[in-house]
Amino acid sequence: MNAPREPGVQTPILDLATDFPILARPVHGRRLAYLDNGATTQKPAAVIEAEARFYRESNANIHRGVHWLSQHATELYDGARATVQRFLNAARADEIVFTRGTTEAINLVAQSWGRPRLAAGDEILLSTMEHHSNIVPWQLVCEQTGAVLKVIAVHDNGELDMAAFEGLLGERTRLLAITHVSNALGTVNPVAEMTRRAHAVGAVVLVDGAQAVAHQAVDVQAIGCDFYAFSGHKLYGPTGIGALYGRAELLRHMPPWQGGGDMIRTVAFDNTTFAPPPQRFEAGTPNIAGAIALAAAIDYVQGVGLGRIHAHEQALLDYGTRALQDIPGVRLVGTAQDKAGILSFLVDGIHPHDLGTILDAEGVAIRAGHHCAMPLMTRFGIPGTARASLGLYNGLADLDALVAAIHKAQALFGTRGGTAPGKGRAA
Amino acid sequence: MSDLQDSLRELYQEVIFDHNRNPRNYRPLPAASHHADGHNPLCGDQLTVYLQVEDGVVREASFVGHGCAISTASASLMTEAVKGKPVAEVEALFRDVHALLTEGREAADPARDFGKLEVLSGVKEFPARVKCATLAWHTLHNALVGEHETAHTE
Ligand SMILES: Cc1ncc(COP(=O)(O)O)c(C=O)c1O
């Protein structure tokens, strides 16, 4: 039931679902329409195989053994770092620190860059649309140092209030911590422009790239930011691995935030010296297999081409936006000009949680709730939204399944046509 | 139709829709002797339960708040069920409903007649939704035992 295509509207170009074994698995007896890519993405066979192959053929600890396998594993791990470096276009491989994911990368910056440097009255600038993982680490560091948070407002359409941003920048601004793409609204923020403005007042800039890297090409040198964080599992890679990009001059002057093996140069009870970055920030045995499988995910994504992935997802976004807007009673939350493939919406008279349950029974996997962005939900005066988030393997059929399932929910709730009976609550 | 579709229809029955659209006893109670707040941060469900207890009997029960159909209907049905009951009986009902929703009919008192509340047992097939149905009941319990911490179901 594809709607007739309007002239000038792009057509989805990728057909890669068969690369992802899990997508062949029916759910509740239905074809799975997996539209929860903002939470995590599915993994292509190439990634699953890379992780298995490491354990089958190459497993050993790294940086520790003179034996052949250890050297082999070390080479693969270092190679993975070089892959991430090229992926983000970082100038040097030692600007890439492996972490458990975005959350750990942001906490690393908060504790290792922020805590020793921030003082009472210093200002950390972030926005209303941040994920909790780009809010709470800064609240912790504020408690520890007396620094304060300043929050950039969001317009009704989900775009940042750039005038408010300009107004908040000042000589006390020490850090701008901003999401590249909003996980709840899909808004793509002008991070390069914001970085320039923040640098002009001497602030350091961290960009949360969790929702960006799988959907558009990212070049940290073109953005100009000082830190960039992302998670492997939202990039078709495994859970438990991600990376922090940090400019070499900053990383060099940051103390370790966790102690242990692999992060030291020499240890004595009266004096321990630390390894240079990135090892300084990777205490203990890292997620070696995860890093190698992350590199396989990057190879996969780059093999497809981020330009093509972006064009494909934009075409789906256009199609999905129109289709949802055509359903009476459906309201989109987040309609920024520059948007990634995220459709957050509300259906009159049906709470997002009920909708999520009903859609699930139709084989349509979406997320319902506050999306770890409670301040943003408060800003919009809603408890949460239903969110369909796109990935490279989605097609028009997934969006058609979403639309059909919403119609079913409206029929079940008796709210077809968008009227919510009895919305005025009688006692 | 899949099993899940059947379960869905068992949960989303007319009673649930009716109480969701027109929640009973949906108002604050200025004369309340007991009240407590409940919050399910995962869903954003939030409610306040008010009770007016006299001589050990719940004379009035009401609630306000917002949430999904399951949590709203559960709260509405609950206020109807507890009105006029001695506090000890309300506490016993709380335990039985909790058992019904989390463990199943077998776990509750075999002699218990749940009446309309039986419909809530449909959530058992939807583990992610059990907390929606139990929120009002935990909040009721907190109100009775004078626990002024917000009840949380996460
Ligand atoms: C914008 C944004 N930032 C940060 C995170 C946290 O990522 P992770 O849980 O992988 O550390 C997420 C994931 O939900 C996100 O969407």
Side-chain angles (χ1 to χ4, degrees):
Chain A
M1 50 167 268
N2 295 353
R5 211 47 59 61
E6 285 172 36
V9 174
Q10 302 162 42
T11 314
I13 48 177
L14 301 176
D15 183 10
L16 295 170
T18 50
D19 289 352
F20 294 76
I22 204 171
L23 297 177
R25 182 199 166 151
V27 168
H28 310 311
R30 312 276 162 128
R31 177 187 162 278
L32 170 63
Y34 186 79
L35 293 169
D36 196 17
N37 295 287
T40 198
T41 53
Q42 301 302 346
K43 320 307 172 197
V47 168
I48 299 167
E49 178 52 28
E51 180 140 352
R53 193 185 324 118
F54 173 76
Y55 286 121
R56 237 180 0 245
E57 298 175 4
S58 314
N59 179 56
N61 210 328
I62 54 166
H63 300 143
R64 295 187 183 183
V66 292
H67 61 82
W68 181 82
L69 263 185
S70 172
Q71 287 171 18
H72 178 54
T74 304
E75 275 165 25
L76 291 174
Y77 185 75
D78 292 345
R81 197 188 302 281
T83 300
V84 175
Q85 175 208 345
R86 286 191 300 273
F87 179 61
L88 295 179
N89 193 34
R92 308 156 47 143
D94 63 7
E95 293 183 318
I96 304 299
V97 180
F98 281 120
T99 64
R100 281 196 297 128
T102 308
T103 303
E104 191 177 62
I106 295 173
N107 277 279
L108 190 166
V109 176
Q111 290 304 310
S112 178
W113 179 86
R115 192 173 183 176
R117 273 170 194 76
L118 294 169
D122 283 350
E123 294 175 0
I124 297 172
L125 208 53
L126 39 74
S127 85
T128 309
M129 69 172 84
E130 299 312 310
H131 188 280
H132 296 163
S133 68
N134 200 24
I135 300 175
V136 181
W138 305 115
Q139 288 177 322
L140 294 175
V141 94
C142 283
E143 263 173 40
Q144 291 157 346
T145 62
V148 291
L149 295 186
K150 295 282 166 179
V151 185
I152 308 163
V154 171
H155 289 302
D156 287 344
N157 70 353
E159 287 176 6
L160 278 184
D161 182 339
M162 293 302 281
F165 167 59
E166 299 279 339
L168 287 170
L169 278 173
E171 58 181 30
R172 311 255 25 194
T173 312
R174 300 294 308 279
L175 176 82
L176 168 67
I178 185 78
T179 195
H180 196 165
V181 174
S182 159
N183 67 312
L185 302 170
T187 311
V188 181
N189 290 317
V191 288
E193 168 64 14
M194 294 178 80
T195 298
R196 265 197 302 284
R197 304 288 303 132
H199 279 171
V201 300
V204 159
V205 176
L206 173 138
V207 177
D208 171 352
Q211 296 293 340
V213 288
H215 311 288
Q216 61 178 89
V218 169
D219 179 334
V220 291
Q221 295 190 74
I223 295 170
C225 58
D226 303 286
F227 298 105
Y228 194 95
F230 76 91
S231 301
H233 71 97
K234 296 183 198 279
L235 177 63
Y236 310 102
T239 53
I241 188 75
L244 172 71
Y245 156 80
R247 271 201 308 120
E249 294 123 82
L250 279 96
L251 289 183
R252 194 178 304 130
H253 296 108
M254 284 159 54
W257 75 307
Q258 291 175 341
D262 277 340
M263 50 75 71
I264 45 82
R265 186 172 279 140
T266 60
V267 174
F269 282 110
D270 54 3
N271 186 25
T272 289
T273 56
F274 303 116
Q279 278 77 26
R280 187 186 301 164
F281 305 106
E282 294 181 6
T285 300
N287 183 354
I288 306 167
I292 289 161
L294 170 59
I298 291 173
D299 287 343
Y300 177 83
V301 161
Q302 292 194 316
V304 177
L306 274 156
R308 292 173 71 218
I309 292 171
H310 185 253
H312 174 76
E313 292 178 0
Q314 288 292 311
L316 291 179
L317 177 65
D318 275 358
Y319 181 84
T321 302
R322 279 159 213 263
L324 289 181
Q325 280 171 338
D326 281 348
I327 306 175
V330 170
R331 173 160 75 88
L332 284 171
V333 181
T335 50
Q337 271 293 316
D338 195 359
K339 253 190 88 165
I342 286 173
L343 291 156
S344 242
F345 60 96
L346 297 167
V347 181
D348 263 1
I350 310 182
H351 189 278
H353 250 87
D354 296 310
L355 189 69
T357 297
I358 294 161
L359 265 50
D360 175 57
E362 299 293 320
V364 178
I366 60 151
R367 176 149 176 205
H370 55 59
H371 316 298
C372 299
M374 288 171 98
L376 185 69
M377 297 300 121
T378 304
R379 149 70 178 84
F380 281 100
I382 52 181
T385 70
R387 180 190 71 181
S389 49
L390 305 170
L392 63 84
Y393 36 67
N394 288 126
L396 297 178
D398 296 319
L399 293 167
D400 291 341
L402 170 69
V403 168
I406 294 170
H407 283 304
K408 272 213 166 172
Q410 289 182 318
L412 188 64
F413 267 68
T415 59
R416 203 191 273 295
T419 43
K423 252 172 86 184
R425 310 206 116 158
Chain B
M1 198 185 294
S2 69
D3 292 351
L4 194 84
Q5 298 264 315
D6 292 340
S7 311
L8 199 66
R9 279 188 173 70
E10 250 160 59
L11 174 59
Y12 287 98
Q13 290 184 33
E14 194 42 45
V15 184
I16 298 277
F17 290 128
D18 176 29
H19 281 259
N20 179 45
R21 278 178 214 132
N22 299 300
R24 316 300 194 269
N25 306 303
Y26 188 83
R27 57 170 185 272
L29 212 58
S33 55
H34 298 66
H35 67 94
D37 295 327
H39 185 206
N40 179 343
L42 205 64
C43 317
D45 293 351
Q46 206 146 19
L47 55 79
T48 306
V49 169
Y50 301 90
L51 302 171
Q52 190 184 335
V53 180
E54 277 168 22
D55 307 325
V57 174
V58 175
R59 300 282 177 209
E60 276 295 337
S62 73
F63 80 105
V64 294
H66 55 76
C68 63
I70 306 300
S71 75
T72 304
S74 180
S76 172
L77 288 162
M78 178 186 83
T79 57
E80 283 192 324
V82 302
K83 250 198 234 187
K85 284 203 168 65
V87 168
E89 260 181 54
V90 169
E91 281 289 34
L93 181 63
F94 161 68
R95 280 191 298 274
D96 270 345
V97 169
H98 193 262
L100 175 74
L101 300 186
T102 56
E103 296 165 70
R105 187 66 183 86
E106 323 77 67
D109 180 354
R112 166 76 62 197
D113 176 8
F114 283 106
K116 276 200 238 169
L117 296 173
E118 190 87 44
V119 67
L120 296 172
S121 67
V123 292
K124 249 195 327 41
E125 301 305 316
F126 300 90
R129 307 302 304 281
V130 170
K131 306 279 155 88
C132 307
T134 56
L135 179 63
W137 295 87
H138 281 290
T139 310
L140 167 81
H141 173 71
N142 279 5
L144 282 175
V145 300
E147 205 40 87
H148 284 301
E149 290 253 315
T150 301
H152 281 106
T153 58
E154 298 181 45

